Amino acid sequence: MKYDLIVIGAGMAGLIAAAKAREQGLKVLVLAQGQGSLTLTSGAIDLYAKSTGLDEFVKNNEEHPYAKVGLEDTLRGLKYFQEISAEMGYPYITQAERLKSFYLPTAFGTFKPTFLAPMTMAKGDLRQNGDILILGFQELRDFSPSLVAANLLQIRQRHGIKGICEEVKLNLNLLKKSVNAFELASLMDDKETRQIILAKIKTAIDGWIGDRDRAKNDAGDSKLRVGIPAVLGTMPSLEIFGEFETELKVDLFEIPTIQPSMGGIRLNTMIINYLKKIGVKVFYASTVTGVGTEGESGSYEGEVAEDRTIMGGVTKNPIIKEVFVESAGGRLTSYKTKYLILATGGVYGGGIESTQEGFREKIVKLPLNSDDKTTNLADESCATGKFKSIDSSTNLDKSKRLVFVSEKSPAYAKVGVKVDSQLRPVSEAGALYANLYVTGRTLAEFDPVIEKSGHGVAIVTGYKAAKEVIALDQKDGEKDGLR
Amino acid sequence: MESKAEKNQAEKTKMVEINQAVEKTRVVVIGGGATGTGVLRDLAMRGIDAILVEQYDLAHGTSSRFHGLLHSGARYAVKDKESAKECIEENRILRNIGQGSCVEETEGWFVQLPQDDATYIEKWLKACQEVDIPVNQVTLQEAFRLEPNLNKEAVRVFRVPDGAIDGFRLVWANVKSAQMHGARYYSYTKVNKILQDEGQISGIQVYDLKGSETRVIACDYIVNAAGAWAGKIATLANLKVDVVTDKGTLIALNHRITSRVINRLRAPNDADIMVPHGTVAILGTTSVKIDDPDCLQSTRSEVEKILAIGKEMFPDIESFRVLRSFAGVRPLYQEATNPEEVADGGGRAVSRGFALLDHEERDGLRGMISMVGGKLTTYRLMAEQAVDLICKKIGLNESCKTHLVPLISNAKRQDFETLMRYLPVPAAEKLAERLGSEVEEIINKLEVNSHKAEILCECELVTMAEVEKVIEENHLANLSDIRRKTRLGMGTCQGTFCSYRALGLMFEKDLIDEAKAKQFLVDFLNQRWKGIYPVLWGQQIRETELTRNLYLGMLNLDGMDDEYEI
Amino acid sequence: MDCAKKGALDACLKCSICVTQCPVAKATEKFPGPKFMGTELTRFRLDQNTNLDQVVDYCCNCRSCEVACPSGVKISYLNAVYKDKYKEKHGKKLRDRLLGRPELLAKLGSINASLSNSVLKLQPVKKLMEKTLGTAASRAFPSYHNQNFKTWFKKRKKIASEKKVVYFVGCFTNYNDLETGKNVVEVLERNGFEVIVPEQTCCGLPLIGNGEISAAKSKAQKNLEKFMPYVKKGYPVIVSCTSCSLTLKSEYHECFNLEESERFGQNVYDFSEFLRDLAVKKQLDTNFGSLPLKLAYHTPCHLKAQGIGQPSVEIMEMIPNLKIEEIDEGCCGLSGSYGFKKEKAEISMKIGEKLFKGIREAKPDFGTTDCGGCGLQMLHGTGISVLHPAKIINMAYKNNLSKNNTV
């Protein structure tokens, strides 16, 4: 059973690549050790949010994945994702203006610039004037409505946005113990329980809004916006959201909670369901330990380097032939493939392994942009005496403190695999393998956390890699045809 | 030299200050570590009115920044019989008064590896016998069965009555006991001036960091128990006390990789003690002389050194996760020693013994004594001797009782069982160990609202009810104040989830505003980062990515001071 | 604790992915979830003075948490270790001891199979057993037969071949589901293999699930002794129950760390996995006859945990006119003996609800799944008969008697 494409990793990049390639008729297999970190995200898609703007940023950062992919394919990739979401009945939408972000409230009451938002969150944009009510639940830990409301109010005031921002914390009287967002969302899945909760929410909102304002609200003059922690069901669907909006007659938006976070979980389910629909197999608990390669001299043209040393021996123009999967018990099974996409993640996902000695790409052992130990944080930056031990209760010069909450990325954050404009891993001499592509967090020279490009880079590089695979497959097909 | 006019002016100012004193007490204890709180408890139990002031939070200094070893004295037996003898005696007392609260009777082993000097062992066995430390040999088969992570090449293993002691809890237990006996304490209260009148102590002027105000406390006696900061305090009274500040770095491992204290059986050296401590295990230490006790950053190279040496005893140590590193300052003292010499020999050359300096005798200043040197195991003895001296000065004939009365009264069996109805077993156990009979208050909270059984810190099983109690009882300056009292944020995820939850709770109780909430969160994350930074590889770097994704990604904490076009 | 030693405990990042995958936590408030029960409490339990929580018994050992875990933490096993410790300290229930030993149960049940079967179906008997033993009255016990697989196989005419496999039958197949055993043998023989059935005992999984680690370990030891001589000759070990195959593959080595267990584990194949490997090597007889049926397929959790995908589906997809609908609704809820316990029967059925609904809605002719236990539960929850893939494949073979080796 030979596959056209094997994708290693079931995170955003891998799943998008698999979807795109399968749509073009390729036989695709996704291999994953566990669930991708996709489920741990808020579910919103970030692109790039600093004031410089994406166009300029791409121009000035040639090594950034967006620059490798190019602006055009970046936007196509995002569009492609949107199409999937629409088809699956859980649409993601953009702002009207080109490349502009939503400014969505977070569970801390800060704002988060986001490029694509699921419908259930999109109405939270805090730049819109008008009153906001934040609703929380006694039973739900991990979400403090009063903290959210207070911070939002303060931010809105600072930016001259009109409208009050208050909170209601509702006691559902349904549970003996506190629950997390996932548990509450699971309760909401049940129609009967949901109706009880909805009735209580309605009473609470009515009580807050008062009769007169209710009439005004329902007339649509100044519609109240209500923010609720993201617990409206576990499934990627607008059913519950729509039901609530209709019944409550307000503009509703979900605010992503800390993990387990429903936005990420629904996003994962949505794409997995899509893959099932189009016929992509996903094997979990499959740890890929390595790849088998073969040299085929003269098969490929262009930037592929002439000679390459692989595992001590010299091979010409190597290509990947198979991947080895360690299944339960440790037996290695070979899966043959024509093309391979690495979507194994970075240090978090496990694609880049970190040890005391430094970093390495785990599966193919690809060279990294920087793998010496110095990136692994040297001593001088925390040398004796340079930093004081006290919490900020002492007024110490900021520059002398070792800070976590910083606009600067830690040294390791941009470690990754260097690629060419087709996302093929490269060394000084050129592309290392003709049929290998690298995507997502495994790539070098970006830090999604600080740039606010989480999911954005993953989607567009996954899309791009699949596109390259498809193009190469067509070329190979033509060649085969000529023979 | 001061001119007479200046001197007069200065005296006048002092008089004014003393007259402004808002509070008066007999004895002021400076320093909220084990020694200071031990002194406070002893004073209070002997009926002497006393106030303790601490510049940060209680147990902020060395008392919480050590390996948590309750010495049997065996480690010092060869080099310093005096210390060893004190240790074994205090060890017996503390196991008695701290049982069920801050002392864990783990027992300790001394392990000889093939490369260790065999002649030292004979000396060691003899020395232990001389100071009456019970030593029993453990068969290797038994040793490897009980401690599977121990190096199988170990040659000989001996059992001694070492234990683990929780510095945070020890300090809290002492201070609570002192409070019950009428003593007061102020944390985040820094001593600005020591006030004297004609060669007699008259009070202190302090700066209250939380209230941002200066005030004066009048007193007759000052006990300088500021540990590594004792030299700085002495300077305020124009005295010279040479404290050698010696940094020791330690690492905390994610789980108990041993069940006993494991010592390397050789002359004391770096990284040769492993102490199991609640949920973690601590390996250390190093010894480096430093200039400023406030400069305490541990470094990557120190951590690597500790791991390299630790590997000799625990060959698999690299497969275990290091949670964080931290450093403490040993306040070492050696009167009439040239500090240069001390520095040359490194901290280990200086005695671990302690000294009680009577400044009346030594410097002609009446009413002040300084306690320097020593180690946590003997904190109570030091306190006893200091208070004996105070009593002598006052002319009070009251003897010490701190060795007889348990530090806290243990939770009632019946309360404990009630607690188990609400909480998972280990959570109930840890809570009872921390709070003793005060678990009653937790039960009251739970009975009113069972949602308060919610676990805020899942790694260390800290409940909402306990955090609420801490919040209500203390004027908190930061989230670490909760951490030190509960272990919130000290486990595997290093505060990734619980800090958010604790903040929400504080905010909803109206204890902080939104600006403070942000500041608390940022400070807490930064504070945790200091300890994670030197161990940033493997699982800990992954954990950091999760934390970054949550706080900087999902919650966009770094983007609050907006550089975005809104 | 071997699994923790490998750093597995330390690998947990508290990310909560497992929490969202745990079928038990979804079904009952009583179980606080795999992250809490597994890695979080383990750090406390390592202090030998810590008392143990009984709640750990609610873990059904389905491994959904382990499959989802991106860090490779052996959560279920951490739980099993502490079930064991708990029971050591607080005593084992007779019921759990019995349920952990299906062979013993079966021997009792098979003494007079028809009598046992009819008696066990009587509601008053079930009620009495619920009261005295703690087994669920709502539950039908699997039927026993007077003839088990081993006695059937002994009487059977052997087929000799150069190509040999050894068959690990498993308790359920041996005592309750002879039909599957017969089909497995016939399919393997059709592909030219001589099937050897060595003396063997239970794989040990029910004991692990019921917190009897050392008893499980001695079962493992016995099986290793009986099978290793064949493994050393190069004969693959074929297992037709996914729970047994998972245990043989990984637990003997990763958790018990028994001698030669690694080599053994690497030679164990799930029945369909073996066929798929043959197909890849173009050695499988693919001359299937038409089977105009519709099947609803459920993936057993213990198959997911093996990381080999769905080999039986891949094989069955080769059968002409056979329609397979995958019902991807997670755990069936039975988890071996778990669902037979009084206090867990309801949880068990609640877990399976979605699966039952999915199967019913698919309106299949039969259900199919690779695990006998899941099959029981599917039948119990839907009333729709469930066939093992071996049966389906054999049916397709029987519909086309000419052998052919092409893919």
Side-chain angles (χ1 to χ4, degrees):
Chain A
M1 259 155 258
K2 186 175 170 174
Y3 292 91
D4 294 322
L5 169 66
I6 285 180
V7 177
I8 310 175
M12 185 60 112
L15 298 181
I16 289 291
K20 179 73 190 162
R22 175 69 198 140
E23 277 176 23
Q24 301 296 315
L26 268 60
K27 191 172 172 197
V28 182
L29 172 67
V30 179
L31 295 169
Q33 185 175 346
Q35 288 213 0
S37 42
L38 170 51
T39 50
L40 296 173
T41 61
S42 70
I45 311 293
D46 303 341
L47 182 59
Y48 177 76
K50 303 272 169 164
S51 51
T52 46
L54 187 64
D55 308 75
E56 209 187 313
F57 176 76
V58 168
K59 238 181 269 164
N60 297 332
N61 293 278
E62 286 176 1
E63 292 302 311
H64 193 281
Y66 287 146
K68 301 279 182 195
V69 171
L71 207 52
E72 204 178 308
D73 274 338
T74 293
L75 297 178
R76 275 196 203 131
L78 292 162
K79 190 112 193 95
Y80 172 67
F81 168 82
Q82 270 188 285
E83 285 160 12
I84 294 179
S85 72
E87 191 180 328
M88 296 308 288
Y90 188 65
Y92 275 67
I93 56 174
T94 53
Q95 285 280 82
E97 262 178 289
R98 179 183 179 271
L99 290 182
K100 289 292 176 196
S101 296
F102 290 103
Y103 285 77
L104 299 182
T106 73
F108 195 68
T110 45
F111 66 84
K112 172 72 187 294
T114 278
F115 185 67
L116 294 174
M119 284 279 275
T120 64
M121 295 179 189
K123 285 175 193 160
D125 198 310
L126 54 82
R127 288 169 302 183
Q128 248 179 67
N129 291 322
D131 297 346
I132 292 182
L133 173 66
I134 304 291
L135 201 70
F137 305 99
Q138 297 277 357
E139 290 89 341
L140 177 66
R141 59 183 190 213
D142 303 344
F143 188 81
S144 168
S146 56
L147 185 57
V148 173
N151 267 323
L152 285 183
L153 180 67
Q154 190 237 344
I155 290 173
R156 276 157 56 101
Q157 279 174 347
R158 207 161 30 151
H159 291 280
I161 299 154
K162 290 189 197 75
I164 56 168
C165 195
E166 289 182 8
E167 82 284 351
V168 167
K169 197 169 187 176
L170 195 60
N171 189 345
L172 292 176
N173 272 325
L174 279 174
L175 302 156
K176 270 183 261 152
K177 56 165 200 169
S178 299
V179 291
N180 60 34
F182 178 77
E183 290 164 325
L184 189 52
S186 304
L187 281 178
M188 293 270 198
D189 283 346
D190 176 58
K191 189 149 189 161
E192 228 169 273
T193 318
R194 183 162 79 231
Q195 293 311 322
I196 300 171
I197 297 174
L198 179 55
K200 290 189 181 185
I201 292 177
K202 192 162 178 12
T203 314
I205 293 178
D206 286 347
W208 183 84
I209 209 168
D211 294 341
R212 220 182 45 192
D213 287 344
R214 176 47 105 174
K216 241 169 59 189
N217 177 73
D218 292 358
D221 297 343
S222 57
K223 212 165 186 192
L224 174 68
R225 283 194 292 158
V226 176
I228 179 171
V231 293
L232 297 178
T234 60
M235 296 310 288
S237 139
L238 293 180
E239 190 194 332
I240 301 178
F241 177 76
E243 210 177 285
F244 272 52
E245 262 205 332
T246 313
E247 183 66 18
L248 299 172
K249 296 197 184 72
V250 293
D251 279 340
L252 196 62
F253 59 93
E254 286 190 306
I255 302 172
T257 65
I258 70 175
Q259 295 88 358
S261 191
M262 293 322 302
I265 291 167
R266 288 182 208 146
L267 177 55
N268 186 56
T269 311
M270 175 188 99
I271 305 179
I272 292 286
N273 286 349
Y274 182 71
L275 291 182
K276 256 184 221 155
K277 197 172 136 182
I278 61 174
V280 174
K281 287 191 190 303
V282 183
F283 291 1
Y284 290 104
S286 303
T287 307
V288 178
T289 54
V291 295
T293 60
E294 194 180 295
E296 278 189 19
S297 129
S299 307
Y300 295 97
E301 301 155 8
E303 311 99 297
V304 177
E306 278 299 300
D307 291 300
R308 194 83 50 217
T309 307
I310 300 292
M311 304 286 186
V314 176
T315 320
K316 270 198 157 187
N317 288 342
I319 57 164
I320 308 251
K321 282 288 189 188
E322 58 191 334
V323 303
F324 300 110
V325 174
E326 189 186 309
S327 55
R331 187 172 57 234
L332 292 186
T333 308
S334 150
Y335 290 81
K336 306 256 184 303
T337 187
K338 273 161 87 180
Y339 313 103
L340 180 65
I341 291 181
L342 270 192
T344 44
V347 289
Y348 183 82
I352 294 177
E353 194 178 40
S354 148
T355 63
Q356 259 193 83
E357 276 64 53
F359 296 96
R360 60 177 201 144
E361 189 281 310
K362 210 173 169 181
I363 290 173
V364 191
K365 317 287 183 277
L366 296 169
L368 300 176
N369 58 339
S370 168
D371 53 0
D372 64 315
K373 201 176 168 181
T374 49
T375 342
N376 215 343
L377 305 166
D379 256 358
E380 58 261 45
S381 45
C382 58
T384 322
K386 216 166 157 190
F387 299 98
K388 297 232 171 188
S389 66
I390 312 307
D391 314 28
S392 78
S393 42
T394 51
N395 293 319
L396 206 71
D397 180 4
K398 251 196 175 172
S399 65
K400 281 196 178 161
R401 269 197 271 135
L402 195 54
V403 287
F404 176 77
V405 182
S406 155
E407 284 166 17
K408 244 183 79 193
S409 301
Y412 70 83
K414 294 186 179 178
V415 171
V417 175
K418 276 178 75 165
V419 290
D420 62 13
S421 61
Q422 294 172 42
L423 301 183
R424 292 181 305 184
V426 289
S427 70
E428 299 296 316
L432 288 164
Y433 300 92
N435 62 344
L436 172 66
Y437 302 85
V438 180
T439 61
R441 195 69 179 99
T442 321
L443 293 168
E445 305 301 335
F446 83 110
D447 176 7
V449 176
I450 301 296
E451 294 162 12
K452 317 299 168 193
S453 60
H455 282 339
V457 169
I459 290 175
V460 305
T461 55
Y463 173 83
K464 174 78 173 179
K467 236 181 109 172
E468 293 296 335
V469 166
I470 295 157
L472 186 56
D473 189 52
Q474 274 163 1
K475 224 163 90 184
D476 286 351
E478 280 163 21
K479 256 189 233 160
D480 289 347
L482 286 177
R483 275 174 209 155
Chain B
M1 281 293 283
E2 286 175 291
S3 74
K4 204 172 176 188
E6 276 169 343
K7 209 171 174 181
N8 278 345
Q9 188 52 44
E11 289 300 321
K12 257 186 206 160
T13 325
K14 277 172 194 163
M15 286 307 289
V16 171
E17 280 171 338
I18 283 301
N19 291 337
Q20 286 169 343
V22 286
E23 261 182 308
K24 205 181 159 1
T25 185
R26 200 71 191 262
V27 183
V28 161
V29 182
I30 302 173
T35 316
T37 56
V39 170
L40 190 72
R41 178 178 193 236
D42 200 336
L43 285 167
M45 285 175 75
R46 297 198 213 189
I48 303 168
D49 192 52
I51 289 176
L52 180 143
V53 292
E54 157 61 44
Q55 60 178 342
Y56 306 117
D57 189 20
L58 296 183
H60 180 280
T62 315
S63 298
S64 65
R65 298 167 190 270
F66 74 124
H67 39 53
L69 171 57
L70 177 64
H71 279 285
S72 61
R75 188 172 166 82
Y76 301 122
V78 172
K79 218 185 93 202
D80 189 347
K81 289 215 170 54
E82 193 63 25
S83 282
K85 215 169 155 48
E86 283 167 10
C87 280
I88 186 66
E89 279 161 12
E90 285 302 302
N91 173 297
R92 290 189 181 113
I93 292 170
L94 288 179
R95 275 190 283 147
N96 191 26
I97 65 170
Q99 196 191 26
S101 60
C102 54
V103 173
E104 199 192 316
E105 297 194 61
T106 56
E107 85 182 26
W109 286 359
F110 276 76
V111 176
Q112 180 202 355
L113 296 182
Q115 63 267 43
D116 296 336
D117 176 12
T119 58
Y120 178 82
I121 291 147
E122 301 316 315
K123 267 191 273 177
W124 179 78
L125 283 168
K126 198 163 153 269
C128 286
Q129 200 179 12
E130 276 168 23
V131 286
D132 196 18
I133 299 167
V135 177
N136 298 302
Q137 190 159 359
V138 182
T139 66
L140 289 175
Q141 195 190 4
E142 179 79 345
F144 299 142
R145 187 181 68 83
L146 291 170
E147 294 295 353
N149 289 322
L150 196 62
N151 189 344
K152 302 285 183 289
E153 284 172 15
V155 183
R156 278 193 282 179
V157 177
F158 298 95
R159 176 184 284 127
V160 298
D162 281 346
I165 184 161
D166 185 317
F168 294 113
R169 289 195 210 159
L170 174 71
V171 165
W172 281 99
N174 266 302
V175 97
K176 279 185 176 168
S177 166
Q179 278 181 308
M180 266 170 47
H181 289 90
R184 288 161 284 171
Y185 81 91
Y186 302 111
S187 56
Y188 292 98
T189 299
K190 197 175 165 75
V191 179
N192 269 349
K193 287 180 188 168
I194 288 180
L195 309 172
Q196 358 176 331
D197 190 8
E198 310 265 323
Q200 161 68 48
I201 290 296
S202 61
I204 55 170
Q205 187 208 62
V206 294
Y207 180 71
D208 178 342
L209 276 114
K210 285 185 286 195
S212 302
E213 55 160 29
T214 303
R215 59 175 207 275
V216 170
I217 301 170
C219 66
D220 303 325
Y221 298 94
I222 288 174
V223 178
N224 172 14
W229 289 264
K232 287 187 172 180
I233 294 294
T235 315
L236 296 176
N238 295 318
L239 304 170
K240 196 169 180 316
V241 172
D242 284 319
V243 177
V244 178
T245 43
D246 182 62
K247 184 178 84 164
T249 291
L250 305 113
I251 57 173
L253 295 137
N254 180 47
H255 69 267
R256 292 168 75 107
I257 71 167
T258 67
S259 298
R260 291 156 187 79
V261 175
I262 309 286
N263 299 269
R264 181 85 173 263
L265 183 42
R266 63 173 183 190
N269 211 322
D270 285 353
D272 50 12
I273 306 177
M274 171 79 79
V275 183
H277 229 292
T279 47
V280 300
I282 293 171
L283 177 65
T285 64
T286 57
S287 179
V288 185
K289 190 184 163 291
I290 58 164
D291 297 328
D292 182 353
D294 282 326
C295 292
L296 266 186
Q297 181 63 46
S298 52
T299 66
R300 175 74 176 245
S301 58
E302 287 170 338
V303 170
E304 285 177 355
K305 184 179 171 191
I306 291 173
L307 282 172
I309 301 171
K311 200 177 173 182
E312 295 173 15
M313 288 241 273
F314 310 102
D316 289 337
I317 196 153
E318 279 160 4
S319 69
F320 301 117
R321 173 161 165 195
V322 182
L323 278 183
R324 60 189 287 109
S325 67
F326 59 102
V329 191
R330 299 182 191 91
L332 303 177
Y333 180 73
Q334 210 161 31
E335 182 96 277
T337 307
N338 181 352
E340 307 278 310
E341 280 174 30
V342 173
D344 290 346
R348 295 205 191 280
V350 185
S351 161
R352 298 295 207 256
F354 71 90
L356 195 58
L357 308 179
D358 181 349
H359 293 296
E360 181 177 355
E361 217 170 76
R362 185 178 178 262
D363 310 290
L365 173 61
R366 277 173 283 131
M368 179 149 167
I369 60 177
S370 289
M371 304 168 71
V372 278
K375 63 192 82 54
L376 190 118
T377 301
T378 56
Y379 88 94
R380 197 211 57 85
L381 180 64
M382 292 158 71
E384 178 180 340
Q385 292 180 4
V387 179
D388 282 350
L389 183 59
I390 299 273
C391 282
K392 206 174 109 193
K393 288 177 184 293
I394 300 176
L396 182 72
N397 187 12
E398 194 71 49
S399 51
C400 177
K401 283 181 278 200
T402 54
H403 57 301
L404 300 173
V405 186
L407 281 164
I408 64 171
S409 48
N410 289 341
K412 287 187 213 126
R413 183 72 226 168
Q414 164 199 352
D415 283 350
F416 184 67
E417 265 151 27
T418 315
L419 216 49
M420 301 245 276
R421 289 214 309 269
Y422 294 97
L423 302 174
V425 182
E429 283 176 343
K430 292 290 161 201
L431 191 65
E433 283 170 20
R434 280 192 289 266
L435 295 180
S437 58
E438 287 179 54
V439 293
E440 271 175 33
E441 294 167 44
I442 302 292
I443 292 170
N444 291 342
K445 282 177 185 290
L446 294 178
E447 280 177 350
V448 173
N449 183 354
S450 62
H451 287 282
K452 288 184 182 167
E454 176 190 317
I455 307 281
L456 286 191
C457 168
E458 287 155 322
C459 306
E460 292 295 325
L461 297 183
V462 183
T463 60
M464 182 197 262
E466 187 185 5
V467 173
E468 201 178 80
K469 177 173 147 66
V470 170
I471 291 171
E472 285 160 0
E473 286 174 5
N474 299 276
H475 182 57
L476 303 175
N478 48 54
L479 276 184
S480 291
D481 287 353
I482 303 178
R483 169 178 69 83
R484 278 183 282 267
K485 291 164 192 79
T486 61
R487 285 192 70 78
L488 177 104
M490 292 181 81
T492 308
C493 80
Q494 292 283 295
T496 300
F497 296 98
C498 58
S499 42
Y500 173 83
R501 293 176 190 147
L503 274 178
L505 184 66
M506 290 176 81
F507 185 84
E508 282 173 21
K509 293 187 115 348
D510 239 351
L511 294 161
I512 46 172
D513 61 13
E514 64 274 11
K516 259 264 154 69
K518 186 204 164 184
Q519 190 209 320
F520 274 25
L521 183 54
V522 170
D523 283 351
F524 192 72
L525 293 169
N526 287 342
Q527 191 274 339
R528 297 278 81 192
W529 182 234
K530 255 170 41 80
I532 295 170
Y533 196 79
V535 301
L536 211 45
W537 70 84
Q539 300 302 349
Q540 221 51 354
I541 203 168
R542 296 184 64 218
E543 192 77 64
T544 299
E545 279 300 275
L546 182 67
T547 314
R548 271 186 357 112
N549 273 298
L550 173 54
Y551 285 103
L552 307 184
M554 218 157 153
L555 301 182
N556 196 21
L557 264 191
D558 58 316
M560 273 180 105
D561 300 318
D562 357 22
E563 60 151 311
Y564 307 102
E565 285 170 29
I566 263 206
Chain C
M1 197 176 48
D2 295 314
C3 291
K5 196 175 162 187
K6 280 188 216 145
L9 172 63
D10 287 347
C12 175
L13 300 180
K14 311 301 183 102
C15 74
S16 300
I17 282 181
C18 59
V19 175
T20 66
Q21 300 299 317
C22 175
V24 182
K26 267 181 224 173
T28 173
E29 291 199 342
K30 286 180 187 146
F31 188 63
K35 177 172 71 123
F36 190 71
M37 270 343 279
T39 53
E40 275 165 3
L41 289 190
T42 297
R43 288 176 70 242
F44 286 84
R45 294 162 182 152
L46 286 174
D47 177 350
Q48 281 140 6
N49 298 317
T50 300
N51 284 303
L52 300 166
D53 249 305
Q54 196 192 349
V55 208
V56 71
D57 209 33
Y58 281 96
C59 167
C60 74
N61 198 23
C62 71
R63 319 287 185 95
S64 301
C65 47
E66 291 176 12
V67 172
C69 180
S71 305
V73 183
K74 297 271 293 178
I75 307 168
S76 295
Y77 188 70
L78 290 177
N79 285 340
V81 166
Y82 285 98
K83 271 185 203 175
D84 182 70
K85 286 210 168 159
Y86 181 84
K87 289 183 180 178
E88 200 175 287
K89 204 165 166 179
H90 300 271
K92 300 175 183 93
K93 287 184 185 150
L94 173 63
R95 176 201 70 189
D96 294 357
R97 294 175 68 105
L98 282 173
L99 288 176
R101 291 171 175 76
E103 290 162 302
L104 179 65
L105 271 183
K107 276 172 197 151
L108 293 173
S110 310
I111 294 170
N112 188 331
S114 62
L115 180 67
S116 320
N117 292 340
S118 47
V119 168
L120 286 173
K121 281 193 179 82
L122 296 173
Q123 202 54 27
V125 174
K126 289 207 253 175
K127 281 274 179 217
L128 182 70
M129 281 172 68
E130 177 167 290
K131 262 197 178 155
T132 52
L133 271 176
T135 51
S138 55
R139 193 47 92 170
F141 270 86
S143 306
Y144 294 104
H145 306 274
N146 289 328
Q147 186 186 36
N148 65 32
F149 174 82
K150 279 174 205 161
T151 50
W152 169 80
F153 189 76
K154 254 181 219 155
K155 287 184 208 149
R156 199 166 172 273
K157 200 179 134 225
K158 305 280 176 301
I159 291 170
S161 166
E162 286 292 290
K163 299 193 292 178
K164 292 179 174 61
V165 292
V166 271
Y167 181 29
F168 182 90
V169 185
C171 303
F172 185 78
T173 304
N174 188 33
Y175 295 108
N176 309 102
D177 188 18
L178 171 63
E179 192 63 14
T180 293
K182 286 180 184 171
N183 282 300
V184 166
V185 172
E186 284 172 19
V187 169
L188 289 168
E189 285 177 351
R190 163 121 179 182
N191 280 282
F193 288 92
E194 179 185 334
V195 180
I196 302 166
V197 181
E199 197 192 323
Q200 53 193 278
T201 181
C202 172
C203 68
L205 184 67
L207 286 165
I208 299 175
N210 282 293
E212 293 195 51
I213 303 280
S214 56
K217 211 168 163 175
S218 71
K219 296 266 178 207
Q221 191 63 60
K222 266 186 212 154
N223 283 327
L224 279 175
E225 278 162 24
K226 299 295 177 200
F227 279 82
M228 273 320 283
Y230 298 101
V231 169
K232 281 177 184 161
K233 283 188 206 162
Y235 303 166
V237 180
I238 310 297
V239 188
S240 57
C241 160
T242 44
S243 293
C244 303
S245 55
L246 177 63
T247 310
L248 264 54
K249 277 180 176 185
S250 65
E251 257 52 2
Y252 287 12
H253 172 55
E254 286 174 28
C255 298
F256 301 155
N257 204 13
L258 293 169
E259 210 176 315
E260 296 189 306
S261 57
E262 189 171 10
R263 184 172 170 194
F264 174 69
Q266 289 180 4
N267 281 287
V268 173
Y269 295 80
D270 181 72
F271 168 71
S272 299
E273 181 190 18
F274 184 72
L275 298 188
R276 185 178 67 183
D277 279 9
L278 288 179
V280 169
K281 286 184 274 187
K282 303 193 193 308
Q283 289 165 4
L284 182 76
D285 178 355
T286 54
N287 215 343
F288 298 112
S290 164
L291 220 51
L293 293 173
K294 184 177 179 186
L295 302 178
Y297 176 77
H298 160 70
T299 317
C301 297
H302 289 173
L303 175 60
K304 285 184 187 162
Q306 294 188 29
I308 53 175
Q310 300 159 319
S312 59
V313 174
E314 287 180 48
I315 304 297
M316 290 188 291
E317 275 172 348
M318 298 175 190
I319 298 172
N321 297 321
L322 183 66
K323 273 201 198 94
I324 304 163
E325 186 173 336
E326 192 198 338
I327 314 296
D328 187 19
E329 294 292 359
C331 183
C332 75
L334 186 73
S335 272
S337 61
Y338 188 86
F340 286 102
K341 298 174 184 177
K342 164 176 80 172
E343 73 280 11
K344 291 165 189 122
E346 201 188 322
I347 299 171
S348 159
M349 289 307 283
K350 202 169 164 195
I351 294 172
E353 252 169 33
K354 278 188 170 175
L355 175 66
F356 306 150
K357 189 165 167 258
I359 295 173
R360 276 190 228 106
E361 281 172 3
K363 297 202 175 69
D365 297 303
F366 296 102
T368 181
T369 187
D370 313 86
C371 161
C374 298
L376 268 186
Q377 175 87 337
M378 287 157 72
L379 174 66
H380 184 63
T382 63
I384 295 167
S385 304
V386 179
L387 306 178
H388 190 279
K391 169 87 181 169
I392 313 274
I393 293 164
N394 205 19
M395 274 161 71
Y397 276 148
K398 283 179 179 165
N399 284 357
N400 190 336
L401 293 174
S402 69
K403 291 186 189 179
N404 188 350
N405 285 357
T406 47
V407 177

